[in-house]
Amino acid sequence: MQRAWEKVGKADSSEEKSRKRRLRVCVATCNRADYSKLAPIMFGIKAHPEDFELEVVVLGSHLIDDYGNTFRMIEQDDFDIGSKLHTIVRGEDEAAMVESVGLALVKLPDVLQRLQPDVLLVHGDRFDALALATAAALMNVRILHLEGGEVSGTIDDSIRHAISKLAHYHACCTRSAERHLIAMCEDHSRILLAGCPSYDKLLTAHHRDDYKDIIRSWLGEDVKELDYIVALQHPVTTDIKNSIKIYELMLDALISFNKPTLILFPNIDAGSKEMVRVMRKKGIERHPNFRAVKHVPFEQFIQLVSHAGCMIGNSSCGVREAGAFGTPVINLGTRQTGRETGENVLHVRDADTQNKIYHALELQFGKRYPCSKIYGDGNAVPRILKFLQTIDLDEPLQKTFCFPVVKDCNSQDIDHILETQSALAVDLGGTNLRVAVVSMKGKIVKKYIQPNPSTYEDRIQLILKMCSDAAVDAAVSLNCRVFGVGVSTGGRVNPHDGVILHSTKLIQEWSSVDIRTPISDTLHLPVWVDNDGNCAALAEKKFGQGRGVENFVTVITGTGIGGGIIQQGELVHGSTYCAAELGHIMVSLDGPECSCGSRGCIEAFASGSALQREAKRLHDEDDLLMEGMSLKNEEPVSAIHLVEASHRGNGKAEAILRTAGTALGVGIINILHTVNPSLVVLSGVLANFYENPVKNIIQQRALSSAHSIRVVTSDLEEPALLGAASMVLDYTTRRTY
């Protein structure tokens, strides 16, 4: 018993001695972004001189004039900078990044040997941070890594996880990040779920009274809150060419959107020089709507983001900090793939067209979302300081790895429960109204059909009821998560406003109709609307013969003739939304009258209604039915009877179909000579019949350069529904993806 008490007494004495010794903490900061996370910890350490001794090392882009010489803000915060290391090799390409890591590794040993820190704080996933962690690990300095365990979408993932393997201690932001670190065999007792340190500042600082002055100082006197955009886009080092293309498309969309925009220069990663060239080529620095800046102090940046109408780009600030304010965010490309995000973030995964980005701006700008605290509750710094105080410097320095049996996650997050990502598709035809639940892979999970009412009021009520019932079915019975609603309808459509401008004669009381608003208000889902021909082209692009084809044309051969044109991967709408009215290409000056009021259109020769008209004429003249053919009681004469009569040797039927095929072929030749696609997709009930006649006419009458253009038949059974669904699925958003 006496020996036990002596042991306890020695332990107490040892603990008291340890508490009296100040922990020497070295904080190394590389750029403006990581300083916003490290500064709150540095202030906390400085406020406890009895427990900690702070050393500050500055390196990386902090010391580069082109990036604002941001080390000065560290000095303005009254921190003594112990060492300034110029570690960046200019060039802004992959080789320069590697050389910068090497230069940092050459310079860091002298600094660490002189400072002799007990613990080095390293943040995040930058290449500079990898150099810091490597040097400290090899020099037997304990490392506390901030924000490890997270998942994004670039080389940053590899760097972040490499730093985590070198680090001895971890302060992570989310429960998922903690689980990832445990799965990476890190010791659970050395992992602190702290939250993001920047949240300690932003959750209290964004309510400043002078926010209007800050907005005016950065964007101009006339700019109001919620009426401007903050843009911040960085290169993706594993896909530089594509990230530069996305950056250019973003700038084009912002110019077209015509709202005041504060745009920050990209970081120093490979590809940033090319992005700056794009920005200057477009005259962004001189454009009256833009303010291009290299750096904004974090406290002011918080104000600008929290009061913005929208934030756009691929910065982690958009998926992390902006959620604390409910600011709408458009996340472009793959740089943040895998990040946990709040509902304020709209992901544009394949930001391959200006139109997609512009449409995302229309959806997000000016909205407000519930504040999200995924990344912190404002108490990260006290937790981290307490964690630092528990570090036992007498413990062996060599870290050990744990190899637990990783159990399946039992998360109740809605994204895990609802496995099938899907869209509601609506097809408004002249006879029927159809609604379908369509999965991400283009499978029609369930379809609902009702006769299309003849009046506007009845039609709207039926659409809302069918959509509501389908949405409930999808969630409760079909194990689907519905992301939005796509509507396909006949006539001329303004897809940007969701308005049907002019309908076809088959659908009465359906002109100047805002279809988007009532559906969106009822279902609380985003809604897309387009012409049925355009939807057929979109269906081919996503699910059919047009997959991977940059330029193609879809021609629908049904009751009428329609279609859609895809150029450079983007649907062509035209200045007044009547592009691709392919059925009304004139192929004869004195042909039959068309439903549009003109004469000689393709539709007047080759549509199902035109063939039915000719079949009725032959039948009335008793020249239609051949041996073996008959009409049942009250069976209407249709185009099918005309085709059957032709197959049975009816010369007049053959002549009519030959003329129809020629008219369609000549019309398609006009399309080939105008937009020069690489593919023509024939869709609709008459597609199989017209494929060979069209190919023959092209070979006979088209320019020789058009002979090699492929003509194929669609293999999609429901192009209108699938195309309507594709408008939704191309803009699919999730908290984590």
Side-chain angles (χ1 to χ4, degrees):
M1 180 67 72
Q2 181 65 32
R3 284 197 299 271
W5 278 111
E6 287 175 356
K7 185 175 181 181
V8 170
K10 288 180 181 179
D12 290 342
S13 174
S14 175
E15 287 181 15
E16 183 178 352
K17 181 179 178 181
S18 177
R19 282 198 298 270
K20 289 180 181 178
R21 183 191 183 289
R22 295 195 301 170
L23 189 72
R24 182 175 295 169
V25 181
C26 178
V27 178
T29 172
C30 310
N31 53 61
R32 65 191 182 195
D34 77 7
Y35 181 66
S36 69
K37 314 294 178 66
L38 293 168
I41 302 173
M42 293 163 66
F43 281 112
I45 291 172
K46 191 175 180 180
H48 294 81
E50 70 282 1
D51 297 318
F52 302 105
E53 181 180 346
L54 177 64
E55 296 288 349
V56 180
V57 175
V58 172
L59 65 158
S61 60
H62 272 310
L63 303 170
I64 297 179
D65 181 61
D66 287 353
Y67 292 85
N69 279 327
T70 49
F71 74 90
R72 293 195 182 99
M73 67 182 179
I74 303 173
E75 295 175 337
Q76 289 168 3
D77 286 340
D78 202 26
F79 290 114
D80 295 326
I81 298 177
S83 298
K84 296 178 184 175
L85 300 180
H86 292 270
T87 57
I88 297 297
V89 177
R90 300 307 299 272
E92 285 77 34
D93 58 14
E94 295 93 332
M97 290 169 63
V98 177
E99 291 167 356
S100 297
V101 172
L103 183 58
L105 286 171
V106 169
K107 294 186 175 185
L108 280 168
D110 289 339
V111 173
L112 294 176
Q113 202 159 17
R114 173 170 54 84
L115 297 179
Q116 292 291 308
D118 296 319
V119 178
L120 174 70
L121 258 66
V122 177
H123 169 267
D125 48 28
R126 308 290 301 140
F127 58 86
D128 325 68
L130 179 61
L132 283 163
T134 302
L138 291 173
M139 295 188 70
N140 294 323
V141 176
R142 287 173 169 82
I143 301 166
L144 171 58
H145 183 208
L146 304 178
E147 298 187 6
E150 295 184 14
V151 178
S152 56
T154 67
I155 190 66
D156 295 352
D157 266 352
S158 301
I159 294 175
R160 186 187 310 109
H161 300 331
I163 295 172
S164 292
K165 300 315 295 179
L166 293 169
H168 303 81
Y169 307 95
H170 311 273
C172 59
C173 297
T174 69
R175 185 70 65 184
S176 292
E178 180 186 37
R179 288 199 299 264
H180 293 157
L181 287 169
I182 294 171
M184 290 164 62
C185 306
E186 295 299 310
D187 186 346
H188 197 176
S189 67
R190 294 191 173 194
I191 301 172
L192 171 68
L193 178 55
C196 182
S198 65
Y199 267 58
D200 290 25
K201 202 166 190 177
L202 61 88
L203 288 178
T204 56
H206 82 281
H207 294 295
R208 283 172 48 168
D209 295 332
D210 62 345
Y211 72 89
K212 292 183 179 179
D213 295 331
I214 293 172
I215 293 171
R216 284 193 289 267
S217 68
W218 288 99
L219 284 142
E221 290 295 324
D222 298 329
V223 177
K224 309 296 183 185
E225 63 175 311
L226 305 183
D227 196 39
Y228 63 89
I229 297 169
V230 175
L232 180 52
Q233 180 88 356
H234 299 304
V236 176
T237 56
T238 50
D239 192 6
I240 294 173
K241 184 177 178 181
N242 188 51
S243 65
I244 294 168
K245 178 184 176 183
I246 292 175
Y247 188 66
E248 186 170 6
L249 292 171
M250 179 190 77
L251 295 179
D252 289 337
L254 287 170
I255 292 170
S256 299
F257 200 66
N258 198 32
K259 288 289 182 182
T261 301
L262 179 73
I263 184 166
L264 280 79
F265 277 65
N267 64 22
I268 201 168
D269 282 352
S272 60
K273 186 184 294 183
E274 289 82 355
M275 293 175 78
V276 173
R277 284 199 193 104
V278 169
M279 184 170 69
R280 288 177 172 157
K281 181 180 178 182
K282 292 185 178 295
I284 295 299
E285 292 170 292
R286 301 184 302 278
H287 195 286
N289 274 357
F290 287 82
R291 296 291 185 273
V293 298
K294 295 176 180 177
H295 169 68
V296 180
F298 185 66
E299 296 83 354
Q300 297 183 39
F301 188 64
I302 289 172
Q303 307 301 315
L304 294 167
V305 171
S306 65
H307 297 286
C310 179
M311 184 174 184
I312 188 171
N314 63 3
S315 169
S316 61
C317 176
V319 299
R320 297 170 66 100
E321 283 83 354
F325 318 125
T327 300
V329 173
I330 300 166
N331 179 50
L332 302 178
T334 60
R335 189 170 184 263
Q336 301 301 333
T337 298
R339 292 270 194 200
E340 295 173 89
T341 67
E343 61 182 289
N344 63 309
V345 180
L346 173 63
H347 298 285
V348 185
R349 298 181 182 186
D350 302 318
D352 53 355
T353 68
Q354 176 187 337
N355 187 52
K356 278 186 185 179
I357 300 172
Y358 185 93
H359 193 66
L361 285 165
E362 288 184 313
L363 291 173
Q364 287 287 77
F365 185 79
K367 283 189 177 180
R368 236 48 204 166
Y369 290 90
C371 296
S372 166
K373 293 185 179 180
I374 294 173
Y375 286 94
D377 60 1
N379 298 298
V381 172
R383 293 188 185 109
I384 292 171
L385 296 183
K386 185 177 180 181
F387 188 60
L388 283 169
Q389 289 176 311
T390 65
I391 292 177
D392 184 358
L393 298 178
D394 294 326
E395 280 186 349
L397 186 66
Q398 176 61 49
K399 68 180 287 188
T400 57
F401 299 102
C402 302
F403 297 94
V405 177
V406 182
K407 297 181 180 179
D408 291 337
C409 176
N410 294 320
S411 170
Q412 292 300 301
D413 188 285
I414 195 72
D415 290 336
H416 297 283
I417 299 170
L418 304 179
E419 296 178 348
T420 305
Q421 304 169 41
S422 60
L424 284 188
V426 180
D427 178 32
L428 282 146
T431 305
N432 291 323
L433 173 58
R434 303 186 302 157
V435 175
V437 180
V438 182
S439 73
M440 184 69 76
K441 295 182 179 180
K443 177 185 176 183
I444 295 179
V445 182
K446 189 171 182 179
K447 185 164 59 177
Y448 312 77
I449 303 175
Q450 291 285 345
N452 194 346
S454 58
T455 65
Y456 165 80
E457 291 80 6
D458 291 344
R459 187 176 299 123
I460 284 289
Q461 289 304 315
L462 182 58
I463 290 171
L464 297 181
K465 183 180 186 305
M466 291 179 70
C467 287
S468 298
D469 292 347
V472 171
D473 267 1
V476 178
S477 305
L478 303 176
N479 202 32
C480 293
R481 183 184 182 187
V482 174
F483 289 116
V485 183
V487 180
S488 166
T489 181
R492 189 161 64 93
V493 176
N494 178 344
H496 300 301
D497 297 335
V499 174
I500 301 161
L501 301 174
H502 300 293
S503 180
T504 64
K505 292 182 178 180
L506 296 175
I507 309 177
Q508 301 298 316
E509 297 185 21
W510 206 237
S511 296
S512 301
V513 172
D514 177 3
I515 188 66
R516 173 182 292 160
T517 301
I519 298 177
S520 182
D521 289 348
T522 301
L523 299 184
H524 306 291
L525 289 170
V527 177
W528 287 261
V529 187
D530 215 326
N531 165 272
D532 51 5
N534 289 336
C535 285
L538 291 174
E540 296 297 337
K541 178 176 183 287
K542 188 168 185 67
F543 303 115
Q545 302 278 15
R547 279 178 296 182
V549 182
E550 284 280 302
N551 303 291
F552 71 91
V553 173
T554 296
V555 180
I556 304 174
T557 58
T559 304
I561 301 287
I565 299 172
I566 302 291
Q567 283 284 86
Q568 301 299 315
E570 187 170 353
L571 187 65
V572 177
H573 284 103
S575 60
T576 58
Y577 312 110
C578 66
E581 287 290 350
L582 309 181
H584 301 293
I585 296 174
M586 293 182 64
V587 293
S588 173
L589 296 178
D590 56 356
E593 185 177 353
C594 180
S595 61
C596 69
S598 183
R599 286 186 172 276
C601 300
I602 299 175
E603 189 169 297
F605 286 101
S607 66
S609 58
L611 297 182
Q612 183 182 35
R613 180 194 66 224
E614 292 300 304
K616 285 181 178 179
R617 180 179 62 80
L618 289 182
H619 186 260
D620 291 342
E621 296 171 359
D622 203 23
D623 286 334
L624 176 65
L625 300 180
M626 302 293 290
E627 185 178 349
M629 292 179 63
S630 63
L631 287 176
K632 297 178 182 178
N633 291 335
E634 299 182 359
E635 180 184 357
V637 177
S638 68
I640 295 174
H641 297 111
L642 189 71
V643 174
E644 185 180 354
S646 172
H647 287 162
R648 292 177 180 271
N650 187 320
K652 292 184 178 180
E654 288 177 0
I656 292 169
L657 292 174
R658 188 163 49 249
T659 300
T662 302
L664 182 62
V666 169
I668 289 175
I669 288 173
N670 291 335
I671 299 169
L672 303 186
H673 291 171
T674 304
V675 296
N676 193 217
S678 59
L679 173 70
V680 175
V681 181
L682 298 179
S683 180
V685 294
L686 296 170
N688 285 320
F689 171 76
Y690 279 132
E691 182 178 0
N692 287 328
V694 167
K695 288 180 177 178
N696 292 335
I697 294 298
I698 290 174
Q699 294 301 316
Q700 295 168 15
R701 302 196 182 190
L703 294 174
S704 59
S705 56
H707 288 178
S708 61
I709 295 173
R710 291 191 302 131
V711 177
V712 298
T713 301
S714 173
D715 52 11
L716 300 179
E717 293 185 6
E718 296 283 3
L721 287 172
L722 292 177
S726 76
M727 294 189 288
V728 178
L729 300 175
D730 276 346
Y731 289 93
T732 293
T733 64
R734 297 192 69 197
R735 276 190 58 223
T736 306
Y737 74 93

